[in-house]
Amino acid sequence: MIRAENLFFSYTGSPPYVLRGLNLEIHRGEYVSVVGENGCGKSTLMKLILRFLKPTSGSIEAHAGRIGYVPQRSDFSNSGFPITVAEMLNSYRRLLKVKDRGAAARCLERVGMAAFSRALMGTLSGGQTQKVLIARALIGNPDLLILDEPSTGVDIGSQREIYSFLKAINRKNGITVVSVEHNLEAAVANSTLIYHLTGGRGHLCSPRQYAGEFMRKNRVEG
């Protein structure tokens, strides 16, 4: 579904490169958590998959009918922004040219936020906002869902609910999930694969392999 070959990227178009010689292949139906230190290029890789950015050289392709995207931050979380949950989702539905007027309500129900359809976005908690953004990303029935640090600013209880939901739509509905993660416990617990980025390159491994590497590193550093 996603393939990158000898991918180089620099925001200036010349060295130093954020990503250099990166190769990656993600198959349909996987749940892949992208991990690595701050500044290693995780969010940049997501923007390349989404075609928000173009490679400096090499290639990256995503073969998906529709891609849903959940950003790390949202302007709608501003308490002064006068838009309701339903208005925000329906605006996005129209942008996607989805004619089904019930799509927004059904997506809210899927994430357990149907009761908040008339609430102003700025009055929601971090966890509630993230659930609404996931609902928005599900409009149009994407077969690929990309998330950028979905647990940032979210309480522990909401984190559990969000990761349980993501795991369910991946396992039961076959939606491919690619998530940038700083929550390593969640990455290991929910993913089918971990993609560890370091030095502008990355490698895929199983959650068990990554947990073993991470624990060994902590023992050595400790």
Side-chain angles (χ1 to χ4, degrees):
M1 173 172 271
I2 298 172
R3 176 177 291 178
E5 294 184 345
N6 199 30
L7 176 65
F8 284 78
F9 180 80
S10 166
Y11 283 96
T12 64
S14 59
Y17 294 103
V18 179
L19 302 174
R20 49 193 184 90
L22 184 146
N23 294 290
L24 170 65
E25 187 166 8
I26 296 174
H27 297 286
R28 193 174 301 274
E30 298 284 8
Y31 184 142
V32 179
S33 288
V34 181
V35 303
E37 295 181 358
N38 290 338
C40 71
K42 300 186 297 295
S43 294
T44 298
L45 177 59
M46 297 303 102
K47 291 174 183 176
L48 285 159
I49 294 172
L50 290 160
R51 297 183 182 176
F52 294 167
L53 299 172
K54 293 183 178 180
T56 302
S57 65
S59 65
I60 184 165
E61 297 178 344
H63 298 284
R66 190 185 293 276
I67 301 175
Y69 175 51
V70 182
Q72 185 175 348
R73 295 182 179 86
S74 170
D75 292 336
F76 297 118
S77 61
N78 188 313
S79 59
F81 203 98
I83 188 170
T84 68
V85 169
E87 288 169 344
M88 192 267 284
L89 264 67
N90 277 303
S91 175
Y92 189 68
R93 174 184 62 80
R94 289 190 292 270
L95 180 66
L96 294 180
K97 298 181 180 180
V98 174
K99 295 181 180 180
D100 181 2
R101 294 188 176 185
R106 285 196 301 275
C107 288
L108 279 177
E109 187 172 355
R110 289 180 73 181
V111 299
M113 289 294 291
F116 293 84
S117 63
R118 296 184 180 180
L120 289 173
M121 285 296 300
T123 65
L124 302 180
S125 68
Q128 290 168 340
T129 299
Q130 195 71 333
K131 290 175 186 177
V132 169
L133 293 177
I134 292 171
R136 182 180 69 168
L138 292 175
I139 292 175
N141 298 315
D143 45 3
L144 171 60
L145 183 63
I146 293 177
L147 307 98
D148 195 349
E149 299 193 2
S151 63
T152 297
V154 177
D155 63 272
I156 296 297
S158 293
Q159 285 184 32
R160 293 194 189 101
E161 293 172 356
I162 287 169
Y163 284 116
S164 176
F165 177 76
L166 293 176
K167 190 172 183 178
I169 63 172
N170 170 252
R171 306 300 199 268
K172 296 178 182 178
N173 302 109
I175 297 176
T176 304
V177 176
V178 180
S179 180
V180 170
E181 283 295 348
H182 72 278
N183 187 333
L184 300 182
E185 289 185 7
V188 170
N190 298 294
S191 308
T192 58
L193 290 169
I194 304 284
Y195 189 64
H196 185 203
L197 264 175
T198 181
R201 295 187 177 94
H203 71 276
L204 279 170
C205 61
S206 71
R208 178 177 290 183
Q209 288 173 321
Y210 180 76
E213 291 175 11
F214 183 70
M215 289 174 66
R216 283 197 299 273
K217 181 181 177 182
N218 280 352
R219 282 198 296 268
V220 170
E221 291 180 350

